[in-house]
Amino acid sequence: MTVRRGMTLKRKEALTGYLFILLPLISLMILMYYPILRSFFISFFDWNVLEDPKFIGTENYKTLIGDEVFRTSLVNTFKWVIIYVPMSVITSFLLALLLDRKIKGSGFFRTFYYLPVVCPIVCVALLWVWIYNTDYGILNYILGIFGIDPIGWLTDEKYSLVAIAIMSTWKWSGYNMLIFLSALQGIDESLYEAAALDGITPWQKLRYIKLPLIMPSIYFVMLTAVIDAFQMYTEIFIMTKGGPGYSTYTVSYYLWSNAFEYNKMGYACAMAAVLFVIIMAITLIQNKFFNREYDA
């Protein structure tokens, strides 16, 4: 009788748990999984939104292979990831290391560095468009003081991606900084005290204590930074519209252009499917790499 009551209580607890997760699960299915599956389905159709979709099989994917603009967008996307992710992660980590020290006014600096995160991305992008302006931007004005000719930060193909990466790093570093800072301050002080008795140097403390213990946070930041970088769109739309030429065209921006400017929804969904596969593959590679680091 006791066992039967125990099983009944266990089933009630399980039922209560399922009821609590039911609504979020339904929302996840409707708002995330269904659109993803629907997008894959639409990628096999020629659909301009206004007319009935026409099944064309894999023609959209075949067209992608020969689409020079898509290839350029894909290359630019990888360039963006290579430029932005290390810049953002390293900047965030250095800020966290600085604020991890017991200095006066550290709370103010945490707030100061985090403020850009809460600013709307559209406002931030417009602000940096003015800063980068070739004729009257403050950045070129400062360079002019040192005798350096004005640089077309957003109008020169050599600088456009780097310029947007600097803006994005300034915008988002505060978020990752808090993640790193939380991880650093979660390290047991006794480890530092024991290491100090052995005469450990600051570099050795960083290499052998801090980095290994915050590796899960580094993995999380790297993973989310790469995923976000592959989907970067708003900055491009506000600051360059893909220019100059196609130098800042990314897959996300080209996808949006085909979907909402040219009404090629099926073709855009094919791009989304390709981008999804790329992000998934890179995520699995990152996961395998960091798991190997943990095992080591």
Side-chain angles (χ1 to χ4, degrees):
M1 192 67 172
T2 305
V3 175
R4 186 173 298 175
R5 286 180 179 175
M7 290 295 293
T8 302
L9 179 60
K10 189 174 181 180
R11 288 177 181 175
K12 286 182 178 179
E13 291 177 347
L15 180 60
T16 303
Y18 287 134
L19 288 175
F20 271 109
I21 67 171
L22 182 60
L23 185 58
L25 184 62
I26 293 174
S27 300
L28 190 66
M29 294 292 292
I30 295 175
L31 300 177
M32 180 172 289
Y33 294 138
Y34 173 74
I36 291 174
L37 294 175
R38 184 67 176 173
S39 177
F40 275 108
F41 178 73
I42 294 174
S43 69
F44 296 102
F45 288 81
D46 179 15
W47 185 35
N48 65 2
V49 182
L50 301 176
E51 300 175 357
D52 292 335
K54 178 184 177 182
F55 181 76
I56 57 173
T58 59
E59 286 300 316
N60 284 325
Y61 293 95
K62 293 178 181 177
T63 305
L64 278 179
I65 296 174
D67 189 340
E68 186 175 346
V69 177
F70 176 73
R71 291 201 300 268
T72 301
S73 301
L74 193 59
V75 171
N76 287 339
T77 301
F78 276 99
K79 284 182 181 178
W80 167 258
V81 172
I82 293 171
I83 294 171
Y84 167 71
V85 172
M87 185 186 299
S88 177
V89 173
I90 292 173
T91 301
S92 302
F93 185 66
L94 291 177
L95 289 174
L97 285 178
L98 289 173
L99 294 178
D100 187 44
R101 306 177 67 180
K102 296 179 180 179
I103 57 176
K104 189 175 181 180
S106 60
F108 166 78
F109 287 108
R110 291 178 199 172
T111 305
F112 180 77
Y113 291 134
Y114 189 77
L115 274 178
V117 178
V118 300
C119 295
I121 182 60
V122 174
C123 297
V124 171
L126 287 173
L127 172 66
W128 279 83
V129 167
W130 296 333
I131 292 174
Y132 284 139
N133 188 276
T134 306
D135 298 321
Y136 53 82
I138 189 173
L139 185 55
N140 277 330
Y141 173 77
I142 295 172
L143 294 177
I145 295 175
F146 297 97
I148 301 174
D149 293 333
I151 296 174
W153 296 101
L154 300 177
T155 57
D156 191 325
E157 295 183 4
K158 294 184 296 183
Y159 303 109
S160 51
L161 269 181
V162 176
I164 299 174
I166 293 172
M167 183 279 296
S168 295
T169 299
W170 180 85
K171 161 68 175 166
W172 298 112
S173 289
Y175 175 78
N176 292 330
M177 174 202 71
L178 286 185
I179 296 174
F180 284 135
L181 186 59
S182 299
L184 288 170
Q185 294 187 340
I187 298 175
D188 193 340
E189 287 290 335
S190 62
L191 294 175
Y192 296 144
E193 295 171 359
L197 294 176
D198 292 333
I200 195 170
T201 65
W203 167 248
Q204 290 173 327
K205 182 191 293 186
L206 173 64
R207 181 179 179 184
Y208 297 112
I209 299 178
K210 292 184 178 181
L211 285 177
L213 291 178
I214 68 168
M215 193 57 68
S217 297
I218 294 175
Y219 167 65
F220 173 78
V221 169
M222 287 287 294
L223 184 64
T224 54
V226 169
I227 292 174
D228 290 341
F230 269 103
Q231 300 177 83
M232 194 267 291
Y233 161 77
T234 306
E235 297 91 329
I236 297 295
F237 179 78
I238 298 296
M239 300 181 75
T240 63
K241 295 291 193 298
Y246 291 104
S247 62
T248 58
Y249 249 71
T250 60
V251 174
S252 294
Y253 183 78
Y254 189 44
L255 186 159
W256 176 88
S257 298
N258 277 274
F260 299 106
E261 287 188 347
Y262 311 135
N263 291 330
K264 297 180 180 179
M265 191 61 69
Y267 193 49
C269 287
M271 291 185 205
V274 172
L275 186 62
F276 175 83
V277 171
I278 291 173
I279 293 174
M280 180 63 69
I282 292 178
T283 300
L284 293 175
I285 292 171
Q286 282 184 284
N287 189 53
K288 185 175 181 180
F289 172 78
F290 276 96
N291 282 339
R292 186 177 64 184
E293 291 294 317
Y294 295 155
D295 294 339

